[in-house]
Amino acid sequence: MTKQADVVVIGGGITGTAILHELAKYNLRAILVEREPELAAGTTKANSAILHAGFDAPEGSMKARMNVEGNKMYHDLKDELNLEIRWSGSLVAAVDDEQMAVLKDLLKRGKDNDVPGLEIWDGNTVRESEPNVSKDVKGALWAPTAGICWPFGLALAFAENAVINGAEILRECTVTGITVKNHSVTAVETNQGTIETKYVINAAGIHADEISRLAGDDSFYIHPRKGEYILFDKTAQKDLVYCPVFPTPTKMGKGILVCATTHGNVFVGPNAQDMSDDEKENTAVTIPGMDETLEKARRLVPNIPVGATITEFAGVRAVSSTGDFVLGPSAITRGLIQAAGIQSPGLTSAPAIAKYLVDGIASEMSAARKADYKKGRPAQPCFRMLTNADQKALIARDARYGRVICRCETITEGEILDAIHRPVGARTVDGVKRRTRAGMGRCQGGFCGPRVTQILARELNIPITEVRKEMSKSYMFYDKETQSGGKA
């Protein structure tokens, strides 16, 4: 296979999909390549899901600029793309005079970064807003423009809109090389063939330094930093918080917080563990990590309902050697555009990063905006949120919406079929889970998992032994004869 493109985006996380969404607004041939069967399978699926206000990053940094701009952009994108966002505000809590001084520094930095509405509250005001916060909290920085979101849903929305507008996504497409001639990018080599191109945008997350080196640029490196989380059942929210509650930050990050989700769950985390360079894929949770996460979360909210725990998970952050986002054209290889080192506040910054980079490419190529650009994406049915009358009407149109597959979350077969057959459809069990919540309830897929597996095999027309949990080799079944997953 040989394909032609004006721009190839490497990486299907929140940054890569936001860039593809922005590229699709122009008369450009854009292709995104992702090595896994699902988009957002890396850091995007395992982070704190917070749209930060923008007071933390140093003034003048790319992090500060992109954070504040991205936050503003999401207010418009929420309705345009039907994004799961709740503008909850956030609190940074202080427990002593030294930390109260840090809050004043954050307030000044936020004002320097043009973050609106920041206030320092006293402890009583904090507890009026969040009654379960520790009595030791002396005060907090209130940021009303912060919010919580569903990161996978954001990435999927960007990708679906891009595909509707003519962009192409190649999944299970691993980059094996980048061809450079006369110091300029000419092609991307993959396991699915060659893509001839003028520009490559490197949004490869924790592997961005490796992709950069393939194009001859070793000007930065990515250091992996793991963070572990504990997720609680929806019943725990009454004992915890409504908005994100942070500790005062340290050089390792924003710290272990207590936070609600858009779906009604609550979590605590992440801790911060610097990993070796060969542990970029290490997302294992550990007993010491869980102990540390609980201990520090209890400093903010003492009565953590551990019995309501339903799962633990971890993500790996892409910490850049530069200390900031690495954005813009490579100084070494023409046509290589970096979107690297995208750790927090990368989720918030994604649409601003996309606009910043794509504006530059469009200007260089004199690319015109599409006259027929289509906003939005197909509506995604959510059976449990409908009125009884609307549920009955939906079932009358398609009886499969009356067949509940996931009892914990009341997810129907109709919703699962929609998830599989959308413009960027589910290809794995976790792909269905993240699009519909089937398997995200108290039993964590114990009841619905086998049925989802059967539906995937039927709809994708593959043997049930080829159905995967999430990653390319994560087969749900093991064949004793071949001692492997997948085909016998």
Side-chain angles (χ1 to χ4, degrees):
M1 174 199 79
T2 299
K3 288 178 172 284
Q4 282 76 39
D6 295 309
V7 186
V8 174
V9 181
I10 300 175
I14 187 66
T15 305
T17 54
I19 291 168
L20 191 71
H21 167 252
E22 194 67 27
L23 285 166
K25 297 175 181 178
Y26 290 87
N27 291 315
L28 293 169
R29 296 170 298 173
I31 297 176
L32 182 146
V33 297
E34 166 55 47
R35 65 175 184 161
E36 299 297 346
E38 297 289 353
L39 300 177
T43 305
T44 300
K45 74 172 184 195
N47 61 70
S48 301
I50 295 170
L51 298 178
H52 295 284
F55 54 77
D56 189 60
E59 182 187 6
S61 65
M62 275 293 184
K63 286 183 178 181
R65 175 181 166 185
M66 296 296 126
N67 186 163
V68 175
E69 290 181 14
N71 181 288
K72 292 176 182 176
M73 292 175 73
Y74 275 119
H75 280 77
D76 294 327
L77 289 166
K78 180 181 186 295
D79 293 331
E80 179 183 326
L81 294 176
N82 191 25
L83 304 178
E84 290 186 65
I85 295 174
R86 175 159 65 81
W87 297 110
S88 60
S90 69
L91 291 164
V92 179
V95 298
D96 55 36
D97 290 340
E98 184 177 346
Q99 292 185 0
M100 287 297 294
V102 173
L103 297 188
K104 292 179 181 178
D105 291 340
L106 292 176
L107 176 65
K108 180 182 183 303
R109 187 182 303 168
K111 289 181 176 179
D112 291 341
N113 290 345
D114 292 326
V115 179
L118 297 175
E119 298 176 358
I120 292 181
W121 290 355
D122 62 26
N124 290 333
T125 304
V126 172
R127 281 178 286 276
E128 286 175 9
S129 176
E130 295 288 357
N132 297 312
V133 166
S134 171
K135 61 179 176 56
D136 295 330
V137 169
K138 297 189 66 173
L141 178 66
W142 166 245
T145 57
I148 57 177
C149 68
W150 177 222
F152 178 88
L154 269 56
L156 183 65
F158 286 138
E160 288 189 340
N161 177 264
V163 169
I164 289 168
N165 283 287
E168 186 175 0
I169 295 175
L170 302 178
R171 291 186 268 181
E172 297 192 75
C173 187
T174 302
V175 174
T176 57
I178 297 176
T179 303
V180 177
K181 295 181 179 179
N182 298 320
H183 305 290
S184 297
V185 167
T186 60
V188 176
E189 303 294 338
T190 79
N191 62 332
Q192 296 185 24
T194 299
I195 308 172
E196 297 174 347
T197 187
K198 302 177 181 70
Y199 290 92
V200 171
I201 301 182
N202 175 16
I206 56 173
H207 297 289
D209 54 346
E210 301 161 39
I211 293 296
S212 185
R213 286 196 292 272
L214 287 178
D217 184 344
D218 62 356
S219 59
F220 66 93
Y221 66 86
I222 298 297
H223 180 74
R225 181 175 292 162
K226 185 168 74 171
E228 298 173 79
Y229 295 84
I230 303 173
L231 181 71
F232 302 104
D233 186 72
K234 294 177 182 178
T235 59
Q237 187 163 31
K238 68 182 187 304
D239 300 313
L240 294 172
V241 297
Y242 175 82
C243 79
V245 180
F246 295 89
T248 50
T250 70
K251 65 179 181 179
M252 292 294 284
K254 295 179 174 67
I256 291 172
L257 65 144
V258 184
C259 186
T261 73
T262 57
H263 299 132
N265 300 92
V266 186
F267 67 86
V268 296
N271 58 1
Q273 306 171 50
D274 281 324
M275 312 296 284
S276 62
D277 289 344
D278 61 353
E279 292 183 288
K280 289 183 175 182
E281 306 295 334
N282 182 353
T283 56
V285 294
T286 64
I287 291 176
M290 296 298 97
D291 288 344
E292 177 194 7
T293 299
L294 283 171
E295 176 193 352
K296 292 183 178 177
R298 285 178 173 135
R299 297 175 189 176
L300 297 175
V301 180
N303 299 318
I304 302 289
V306 178
T309 301
I310 57 175
T311 192
E312 301 88 26
F313 63 95
V316 180
R317 289 163 258 180
V319 181
S320 166
S321 57
T322 68
D324 199 358
F325 297 156
V326 182
L327 299 178
S330 164
I332 297 169
T333 305
R334 287 190 296 273
L336 175 63
I337 310 296
Q338 307 287 12
I342 312 299
Q343 58 170 322
S344 182
L347 174 65
T348 318
S349 303
I353 289 171
K355 188 174 188 308
Y356 173 73
L357 297 180
V358 173
D359 280 355
I361 292 174
S363 176
E364 284 190 20
M365 297 189 70
S366 299
R369 283 183 171 268
K370 288 178 179 172
D372 59 348
Y373 172 75
K374 305 174 188 67
K375 291 187 175 182
R377 59 181 178 136
Q380 186 171 358
C382 185
F383 185 82
R384 68 187 180 280
M385 300 300 290
L386 299 176
T387 64
N388 287 339
D390 287 341
Q391 287 178 346
K392 289 178 181 178
L394 185 58
I395 293 169
R397 290 197 301 271
D398 187 338
R400 293 172 296 187
Y401 283 97
R403 191 174 301 133
V404 174
I405 302 298
C406 173
R407 294 178 178 178
C408 294
E409 297 290 325
T410 317
I411 308 301
T412 67
E413 183 174 1
E415 291 168 276
I416 292 169
L417 294 176
D418 174 77
I420 294 170
H421 296 295
R422 292 184 67 78
V424 184
R427 295 293 176 266
T428 67
V429 172
D430 281 2
V432 169
K433 178 175 74 173
R434 295 193 181 106
R435 286 168 176 83
T436 67
R437 288 191 60 78
M440 283 193 177
R442 183 73 189 184
C443 84
Q444 288 289 285
F447 174 79
C448 66
R451 188 71 183 106
V452 170
T453 302
Q454 291 175 331
I455 294 171
L456 276 165
R458 182 189 75 204
E459 296 301 313
L460 299 179
N461 195 27
I462 58 175
I464 201 163
T465 53
E466 289 187 36
V467 176
R468 291 166 290 184
K469 183 179 186 296
E470 177 188 25
M471 302 299 192
S472 58
K473 302 296 183 182
S474 59
Y475 293 101
M476 296 293 291
F477 297 95
Y478 182 80
D479 189 281
K480 288 183 178 180
E481 292 185 9
T482 63
Q483 296 188 1
S484 66
K487 290 182 179 179

